Amino acid sequence: MRPLILISNDDGYQAKGIRSLIAMLEDMADIIVCAPDSARSGFSCAFSATTPLTLTLREQREGVSVYSCNGAPVDCVKMALANICTRRPDMVIGGINHGDNASVNAHYSGTMGVTMEGCLKYIPSVAYSLCDHREDADFEPLRPYIRKMTAKVLKEGLPKGICLNVNFPVAQQFNGVKVCRMSLGTWCNETSKCHHPRGYDYWWMVGHYQNDEPEATDTDRWALDNGYVAITPTQIDLTAYAFMNQKADWEE
């Protein structure tokens, strides 16, 4: 039996990134896609608690089924696992995302939300992102890397509670692959105030990213800035163990 991969994203089921991913992997596994019906960037691990959800079959052919859902990326994974998949997926993939999900962006990313949800279900899960927001971004240079990484995870799995956040710089060729930690960074000047002609103020979420440790060479940000593919192992256990041990004297 061929492996089964569940794919979702936060750019919508029609995005070039997710379509490119299907084309890269459909000869390796059966694929079920359940993705938002439109862009849901920045939804992180949010899910719909008060809104009814719908599923729409968009495409079906040998080995590939594509559904859209009116919910968040995490809703898509939950809905697919509960209502579409007839067997447990061998892997969950988020992406390919249009845009950078390295550093603190991982906390906001709906693509990482997909991957974290798969990880919470103890399914080997990976997020793939290209640092290019353009709708017509070129995903072809990623093909051999994504195929190799996906095959490796399908064969070897991942430790329970750990998923992978994989980011690609914009390049036709990469200098290699680095397994690295998440860089510390900050989003600055995040809101821009405007005045509407009808007399009220409104704000756009904008801002720019600031690397807070530019000299560090072991981070995802350094890897991307230097032409490397960045693989950041990410865990769902958020416990700060070192601090916990330091505060053992708080116990009564």
Side-chain angles (χ1 to χ4, degrees):
M1 183 181 295
R2 297 213 313 164
L4 175 62
I5 299 176
L6 173 59
I7 296 175
S8 191
N9 70 352
D10 68 2
D11 294 312
Y13 77 97
Q14 293 179 310
K16 184 179 179 181
I18 200 168
R19 293 290 172 174
S20 298
L21 183 62
I22 296 168
M24 291 175 190
L25 301 180
E26 62 181 317
D27 68 325
M28 296 172 55
D30 291 335
I31 291 174
I32 291 176
V33 174
C34 186
D37 55 12
S38 59
R40 301 286 196 279
S41 296
F43 271 57
S44 187
C45 292
F47 65 93
S48 300
T50 60
T51 303
L53 298 174
T54 61
L55 284 172
T56 303
L57 179 61
R58 299 290 184 172
E59 179 183 350
Q60 186 130 46
R61 64 178 190 272
E62 184 68 29
V64 178
S65 299
V66 179
Y67 292 81
S68 68
C69 175
N70 64 322
V74 166
D75 290 324
C76 294
V77 178
K78 291 181 181 292
M79 289 287 282
L81 292 175
N83 302 289
I84 301 172
C85 298
T86 57
R87 57 188 169 100
R88 183 177 174 84
D90 298 283
M91 187 173 177
V92 170
I93 298 179
I96 304 167
N97 188 65
H98 291 246
D100 179 347
N101 279 327
S103 186
V104 295
N105 293 339
H107 290 288
Y108 302 109
S109 165
T111 301
M112 277 302 293
V114 167
T115 307
M116 294 294 282
E117 183 65 21
C119 193
L120 285 166
K121 297 292 192 290
Y122 305 128
I123 301 171
S125 301
V126 179
Y128 294 125
S129 302
L130 173 64
C131 300
D132 189 339
H133 289 277
R134 295 177 302 166
E135 290 185 6
D136 65 343
D138 182 8
F139 295 96
E140 197 57 30
L142 285 57
R143 177 184 290 269
Y145 295 86
I146 286 179
R147 287 179 60 86
K148 182 177 180 179
M149 291 179 199
T150 300
K152 196 171 185 65
V153 172
L154 285 172
K155 180 180 179 181
E156 301 177 5
L158 289 169
K160 184 178 287 189
I162 292 177
C163 57
L164 301 180
N165 181 16
V166 182
N167 285 273
F168 294 84
V170 180
Q172 288 300 304
Q173 292 185 321
F174 307 116
N175 291 329
V177 177
K178 295 287 186 182
V179 179
C180 45
R181 66 177 176 87
M182 175 189 291
S183 174
L184 295 176
T186 309
W187 278 92
C188 307
N189 302 319
E190 295 183 82
T191 62
S192 177
K193 184 177 180 180
C194 304
H195 188 72
H196 197 278
R198 293 187 177 179
Y200 59 87
D201 293 329
Y202 63 96
W203 288 260
W204 286 104
M205 297 299 295
V206 288
H208 67 273
Y209 172 82
Q210 173 182 294
N211 185 354
D212 292 336
E213 43 182 349
E215 304 304 318
T217 60
D218 61 341
T219 68
D220 51 7
R221 178 53 51 203
W222 182 93
L224 293 169
D225 289 345
N226 287 274
Y228 290 90
V229 180
I231 301 177
T232 303
T234 304
Q235 62 185 17
I236 59 175
D237 181 354
L238 302 180
T239 307
Y241 286 98
F243 188 77
M244 182 179 72
N245 294 333
Q246 291 174 15
K247 296 305 175 185
D249 60 339
W250 288 24
E251 296 183 347
E252 296 181 359

